[in-house]
Amino acid sequence: KNEVEQSPQNLTAQEGEFITINCSYSVGISALHWLQQHPGGGIVSLFMLSSGKKKHGRLIATINIQEKHSSLHITASHPRDSAVYICAGGMDSNYQLIWGAGTKLIIKP
Amino acid sequence: DTAVSQTPKYLVTQMGNDKSIKCEQNLGHDTMYWYKQDSKKFLKIMFSYNNKELIINETVPNRFSPKSPDKAHLNLHINSLELGDSAVYFCASSRRPGSPYNSPLHFGNGTRLTVT
């Protein structure tokens, strides 16, 4: 069992729908990263958060440290949001990130 | 201007050859990383350098050797390439103190290596 679990693995939705991707972790982390990998392969860091909530445009990330859970929400989804979304937990003890397997999101027009 | 640039974007080569992938960042970051993304899309850390000093050296074959001539560059040299080395390799960087848990990662666009 991976220490960082994402769900769902795959998600297909219609344009305009509200999207939620979940990330649960079983280890102690000090920060949770959300990244986006475009179909062309490039990886972009979306959020890094250790508590509460962050918002950037139509993207919202939340984290509950006690429940060891984070969510990434996309409001008014658009086909250009189609990508793989990856969460990763950063550990205090070393320089490493523990990566989730990613969620492949497809938004249909 | 590209923040983290790696070259080449595609690399097709035969088994047994030696090849290098170059990475440069202009963000002023002190820490740079090499990741390997396998066919299942997992990102796996290979190496990390902070101010030219190796700080993470995961269990990768000795055929892989990172070189950091300065803190803006981290190159990856691979000797005696094997079929299993085929993957996408990503370079990344982050700022001080070099711990990825408190600094966003900036990725290059990846190098798709195909070994035939």
Side-chain angles (χ1 to χ4, degrees), chain B residues 6-116:
Chain B
Q6 56 181 106
T7 55
K9 187 173 174 63
Y10 299 97
L11 184 53
V12 181
T13 188
Q14 290 183 327
M15 285 175 56
N17 285 346
D18 303 339
K19 291 293 178 186
S20 292
I21 307 172
K22 295 185 177 181
C23 181
E24 176 182 3
Q25 54 93 6
N26 62 5
L27 296 165
H29 289 164
D30 288 339
T31 306
M32 296 184 72
Y33 313 82
W34 276 110
Y35 285 90
K36 180 180 180 180
Q37 188 173 43
D38 60 24
S39 58
K40 294 184 178 180
K41 301 297 184 183
F42 272 102
L43 275 163
K44 188 174 180 181
I45 185 76
M46 299 176 69
F47 302 103
S48 176
Y49 271 74
N50 177 250
N51 278 322
K52 302 195 298 175
E53 180 184 350
L54 182 65
I55 55 173
I56 294 175
N57 185 358
E58 286 299 292
T59 307
V60 299
N62 290 335
R63 299 180 294 102
F64 290 79
S65 55
K67 292 283 191 301
S68 183
D70 54 60
K71 66 178 187 179
H73 295 83
L74 181 61
N75 303 322
L76 183 65
H77 189 75
I78 316 170
N79 290 326
S80 303
L81 277 155
E82 300 177 357
L83 292 176
D85 297 333
S86 296
V88 181
Y89 294 84
F90 285 95
C91 175
S93 71
S94 67
R95 59 176 169 81
R96 289 174 187 259
S99 303
Y101 59 74
N102 62 8
S103 174
L105 285 165
H106 295 258
F107 283 85
N109 287 328
T111 295
R112 183 174 294 277
L113 172 65
T114 303
V115 182
T116 61

Side-chain angles (χ1 to χ4, degrees), chain A residues 31-93:
Chain A
L32 196 289
H33 297 250
W34 281 102
L35 304 103
Q36 178 194 54
Q37 185 167 23
H38 300 291
I43 300 174
V44 175
S45 179
L46 298 175
F47 296 103
M48 184 188 66
L49 65 166
S50 54
S51 65
K53 175 180 171 179
K54 286 189 176 181
K55 186 175 188 292
H56 182 69
R58 296 180 294 106
L59 299 177
I60 303 166
T62 63
I63 189 169
N64 185 317
I65 297 293
Q66 286 74 29
E67 294 184 4
K68 294 186 176 178
H69 181 269
S70 176
S71 293
L72 176 69
H73 305 286
I74 305 175
T75 61
S77 60
H78 190 275
R80 65 175 174 266
D81 297 326
S82 298
V84 175
Y85 292 84
I86 308 167
C87 70
M91 308 269 295
D92 270 336
S93 58

